Structures are given as structure tokens and as C-alpha cells.
Amino acid sequence: MTDNFDDYDAFASAGLRLTVDLGALVENWREMARRSGSARTAAVVKADAYGLGIEDIGETLYSAGARDFFVATADEGATLRLYAPEARIFVLCGIWPGMERIFFENDLVPIIASEEQLTFWMSVLSDYGDYPCALQVDTGFNRLGLPMEDALALADDVSRPASFSPVLVMSHLACGDDPSNAMNRQQLDAFRKVSAAFEGIEASLANSAGIFLGPEYHFDLTRPGIATYGAEAVPGMANPMRPVATAEARIIQTRSVRAGETVSYGRALQLTRDSRLAIVSAGYADGYMRSQSSAGVPLRQVGIAGGQGFIAGHKVPVAGRITMDLTIFDVTDLPDHLVRAGDYIELFGSNIPVDDAARAAGTIGYEMLTSMGLRHERRYISEETEE
Ligand SMILES: *Cc1c(COP(=O)(O)O)cnc(C)c1O
């Protein structure tokens, strides 16, 4: 036996692996920038860049020219700062007592979204002096944001300290992914009032879906997230983005099973023909959601089949219940020599759109990406490294 294991290649031998195409990422971000017209285009990289890795994604988008980034937490902002030295980094969850240092040291911009945060922020300014912030105003989403009346009053408040210097006023659309929804126009009208009240301060309303709603929604800065990562921003519209993430899992065993036998927990699937099954090393603990099982998952919306994998040019269905670390695929329709232990099966990527996998699970591409980002061996490719 040798003690030379130098040729160990974590990616080539991983049970579950994720390939992130940075070339496609940059193309998608540029496409969002093109569709944003004269508005500047930020990059939303919260939740570890939608599960794809904030370090590499941040560095790549920064190199591509992004200079405005949105993260959820100050910790994410501190990580991103290493890869985006000159960028403006906005923190969506804002600032709380005790967090002054991480904000100041990493030059992060807090997004103030409530009366409490505003009061705290004014006290920070009186202690430390001038520092930029952003304001989030609620125009009907009823998530984060100052109520409209409070925001308008703040804009008119001549007694507010001169050190209070918001650099951005923003709001978020509730129904941007549904272009025919009247809510979009209502939020647009409300936000126009807000941005007019804060004249001279940059305004931002549109996420990915909002960019597709048209130029009126773009204001000074757009905030695309999901479209940059290649997933659907507007369900039902042909997705013009390139897929960025490909998830693959290794087949660790194949087996032949007779008609009439059952598959996986609960015997939820009974085979109606002699079948060949591939046992694959990904399960719900990896974010491959149990709700994509082919049977035996009563909570999934009726009428939608289970998930599918892709191997050797063919789509193959999930068979029975997905388990913690393993999923079974029915590969009966493929010749044996095309499906062997050790081969990889695509769970989503260029052949199975992440949104199709998500739909099969009763969820959206956002959740699929952020769920599957955790346990993979990850590899980044760009145009240059692509074969
Ligand atoms: C997540 C988020 C975005 C990005 O949304 P996508 O739909 O992924 O483009 C933009 N703005 C805010 C406030 C967000 O929370």
C-alpha cells in the first residue's frame, strides 16, 4: 500500500458536486445591466450568493464592474469586503447596538428600515459623526421598511441632523414576478412620492423581476439577484438567462428489481414493470428536497410529478421517497452501459432547469439554490477553463 494520496481530487470524487459557471454569471449580470438601461446595476449576494459562494461570486462580479452590493447581514458584508475593496456594500438587515464596529471597520452601509433603527442610527451619528446609510421604505410589501408617512415626514423634517446623510432610498416589490398584478403600479406610484420627497438621493425599487417590468421601475439603481444566478425571475416567461449552477450526484449502486416489488421507505412506489434503479448520493439533507419524491409525499401539490435527473442524454424520474442522503432514480429506459455505478447524474443545471426541479418540489428556484449550496463539493469554471 502506498502512502502517496497526492492525486486525491475532491471534486472528481465527490458524492455530490456543484459546478458554478462564472462566465455565465457575468453574462447574466451584464444582461441585467443592459436591461437596466441608464440605471446602475447592483449585485445581490445575500445567503452566500444564493448558495453559490459569496467569495467567488463577489470577486467575479466586482471584476465585471459591479460596485454596489446587497448582503443580508454584516458578517456577509465583512466577508465580501475582502473581495470587493472599493464597492458600496448595503446591509439589508440593518444595524443593531453593538454592531457599530463591524460596520465602520468594513465600511458597510446599513439599511435603516424601522423607527427603532432610525432612533439608534441618530444616536450613532451623534457619537461618531457623519456616516452614510440607506433608507428602506415600505410601499405595501409589509416586510421591512419605514411606513410611507414616516418616511415622508422624515424627508420634510428640517430639524434632522446634518450628519444624517442617506445615500439611497429603496423599496421592494411584492408582485414583480407577476407583471399583470395591479400591485406593481401601486407600489411604483407610492415609491415615486418617496423618491421625489428625497430629491437628490438615489432611488432603487427593482429586483430581477422588477427590471423586466420596464424602465419606469428602474430609477437610479437596480438590484438583481436570482436572474444573475440563471434562475427564473418571472415564471411563465421564457427565461433569457444562462444557467449558472449545475448540481450532480454520483450513482453509488445500480440494481434490477422485479415488477411488483416496492421502492424506498413506506413502499410508496410499487413497480409496474421489471426495472433498473440507480441509487444516487444526494438526499434531503443535501437540500434535494423530499417533496420531489415520486410518491408517498402527501404534502406536495397535486398534479405535479416528482423530480427528474439527467443522465446520458435522457431525463429519468425519481423513484419512491427521497431519503436523507440517497435518492433512487428509475433508469429502466436507458441501456445498461449508459448508467453505471460511479457515473454522475445531473439534479439540475443546463438540462434540468433549477426552476423545474424546484417546481417538482413545490417550491421556487431561490429555495432550491440556497438549500443545495451547503453540502456540495464546489467547482468554479469560467470561459477559459471550460472545455
Ligand atoms: C433578495 C432581494 C433582492 C433580489 O431579488 P431577486 O428577486 O433575487 O432579484 C432585491 N432587493 C431586496 C430588498 C431583496 O431582499
Side-chain angles (χ1 to χ4, degrees):
M1 195 170 153
T2 171
D3 58 2
N4 179 1
F5 294 117
D6 286 351
D7 59 352
Y8 175 68
D9 178 337
F11 186 81
S13 54
L16 184 55
R17 62 194 197 183
L18 192 73
T19 303
V20 179
D21 183 343
L22 297 173
L25 175 88
V26 168
E27 242 180 68
N28 289 344
W29 184 75
R30 294 212 165 114
E31 177 62 16
M32 285 288 99
R34 197 184 62 72
R35 287 175 187 261
S36 297
S38 57
R40 231 165 51 250
T41 304
V44 180
V45 295
K46 64 195 183 194
D48 202 24
Y50 290 46
L52 303 186
I54 194 170
E55 293 90 347
D56 290 77
I57 300 285
E59 184 170 42
T60 301
L61 291 176
Y62 184 78
S63 299
R67 288 296 177 272
D68 301 88
F69 288 83
F70 288 82
V71 294
T73 65
D75 285 342
E76 291 176 342
T79 304
L80 177 64
R81 178 53 77 206
L82 304 171
Y83 301 90
E86 305 276 307
R88 188 167 258 173
I89 301 176
F90 296 97
V91 179
L92 289 160
C93 290
I95 184 168
W96 294 91
M99 293 171 76
E100 296 90 333
R101 186 181 189 140
I102 188 170
F103 271 82
F104 292 161
E105 283 186 352
N106 296 288
D107 197 9
L108 309 177
V109 183
I111 301 178
I112 307 298
S114 70
E115 232 17 86
E116 294 92 322
Q117 279 188 339
L118 189 61
T119 305
F120 171 61
W121 185 243
M122 294 298 191
S123 75
V124 170
L125 292 178
S126 68
D127 291 349
Y128 297 92
D130 206 359
Y131 193 84
C133 71
L135 290 178
Q136 170 134 237
V137 181
D138 189 79
T139 51
F141 197 119
N142 282 319
R143 191 174 62 173
L144 288 179
L146 292 164
M148 279 280 286
E149 317 78 71
D150 296 7
L152 296 176
L154 179 67
D156 287 340
D157 181 2
V158 289
S159 69
R160 72 184 199 208
S163 57
F164 177 70
S165 45
V167 293
L168 183 74
V169 57
M170 60 178 278
S171 190
H172 194 46
L173 296 166
C175 305
D177 62 347
D178 176 8
S180 65
N181 199 306
M183 182 67 170
N184 292 318
R185 171 79 29 198
Q186 286 169 31
Q187 287 193 272
L188 177 63
D189 290 344
F191 189 64
R192 279 186 169 142
K193 291 199 188 96
V194 173
S195 78
F198 287 96
E199 204 200 330
I201 295 171
E202 290 196 335
S204 174
L205 178 62
N207 62 342
S208 301
I211 293 170
F212 289 98
L213 289 176
E216 291 177 297
Y217 289 80
H218 297 167
F219 293 87
D220 302 302
L221 181 72
T222 60
R223 308 188 306 269
I226 197 73
T228 313
Y229 306 106
E232 275 177 12
V234 185
M237 181 187 85
N239 183 357
M241 298 295 136
R242 283 183 56 188
V244 171
T246 301
E248 299 167 297
R250 163 171 276 166
I251 297 172
I252 52 186
Q253 188 178 9
T254 62
R255 62 193 312 127
S256 297
V257 185
R258 291 252 172 244
E261 289 191 42
T262 60
V263 181
S264 193
Y265 284 121
R267 312 190 73 189
L269 174 70
Q270 182 168 37
L271 297 171
T272 56
R273 57 175 180 172
D274 292 349
S275 301
R276 189 140 185 87
L277 303 177
I279 321 304
V280 162
S281 117
Y284 59 76
D286 305 298
Y288 199 62
M289 293 156 194
R290 184 171 174 275
S291 50
Q292 282 185 100
S293 303
S294 78
V297 194
L299 286 179
R300 196 181 56 233
Q301 316 258 325
V302 284
I304 303 171
Q308 291 184 310
F310 187 87
I311 184 165
H314 297 268
K315 288 186 180 172
V316 292
V318 170
R321 280 191 188 146
I322 291 171
T323 69
M324 187 179 290
D325 310 287
L326 297 167
T327 297
I328 303 160
F329 286 90
D330 184 336
V331 295
T332 315
D333 292 333
L334 270 65
D336 282 0
H337 71 276
L338 289 181
V339 184
R340 286 164 313 194
D343 291 348
Y344 284 86
I345 186 162
E346 177 186 314
L347 304 178
F348 62 74
S350 36
N351 300 294
I352 309 266
V354 64
D355 298 287
D356 287 358
R359 257 186 292 277
T363 184
I364 53 177
Y366 296 76
E367 191 181 17
M368 197 83 212
L369 283 177
T370 50
S371 306
M372 299 244 0
L374 303 174
R375 224 212 230 173
H376 285 82
E377 190 63 38
R378 218 187 261 149
R379 169 179 73 159
Y380 294 92
I381 59 169
S382 56
E383 243 86 290
E384 293 78 53
T385 57
E386 231 168 339
E387 281 115 85

